[in-house]
Amino acid sequence: MKKTRLKKIYDFPSLHRKWLWGLGALILLYSFIAGDTGFYNQVKLVREGKRLEKKIVLEKARNENLKKEVQSLKTDKERLRLEAHKLGLGAKDEVMIIVDEKK
């Protein structure tokens, strides 16, 4: 009887397997939640993607506005006159002749 009792006390392989399975499950759970491909990281990436999409839309609108401004500076003579006055290239009562050098 004493021998079987000692054998049960020292029979740890089944207990070790349970602990190893539990530890493995915890590691997998941690990697799915907090690892590089985990749920938390995926949520952060989705939020960053949405933020970047909004920023792209704003930058496209800004780019269109700059294109219109460039076109205005190329063709609008009144705008050219006002910009020249801002730079101090002529007085308000002076007549400016704008020459298109590309022609």
Side-chain angles (χ1 to χ4, degrees), residues 6 11 14-15 24 30 32 40-42 48 50 61 68 75 78 81-82 87 96-97 99 102:
L6 286 175
D11 189 20
S14 64
L15 183 62
Y30 175 78
F32 282 126
Y40 179 71
N41 199 23
Q42 295 298 323
E48 185 179 356
K50 288 179 182 179
K68 288 178 185 176
T75 58
E78 184 63 26
R81 188 182 64 77
L82 290 174
L87 294 172
M96 289 190 179
I97 299 172
V99 179
K102 290 183 181 180

Side-chain angles (χ1 to χ4, degrees), residues 22-91:
L23 184 62
L26 285 175
I27 290 171
L28 283 174
L29 182 66
Y30 175 78
S31 68
F32 282 126
I33 293 174
D36 287 340
T37 60
F39 178 75
Y40 179 71
N41 199 23
Q42 295 298 323
V43 169
K44 283 182 9 183
L45 289 174
V46 167
R47 286 182 183 164
E48 185 179 356
K50 288 179 182 179
R51 182 184 60 81
L52 288 174
E53 286 175 358
K54 288 179 184 177
K55 190 173 180 179
I56 287 170
V57 168
L58 289 174
E59 290 299 323
K60 282 184 178 179
R62 183 173 174 239
N63 194 18
E64 286 298 318
N65 190 19
L66 288 173
K67 283 181 183 179
K68 288 178 185 176
E69 190 171 337
V70 165
Q71 189 63 28
S72 172
L73 284 170
K74 286 181 180 178
T75 58
D76 189 10
K77 293 185 182 198
E78 184 63 26
R79 173 81 192 268
L80 286 171
R81 188 182 64 77
L82 290 174
E83 292 296 326
H85 286 306
K86 285 181 186 177
L87 294 172
L89 296 176

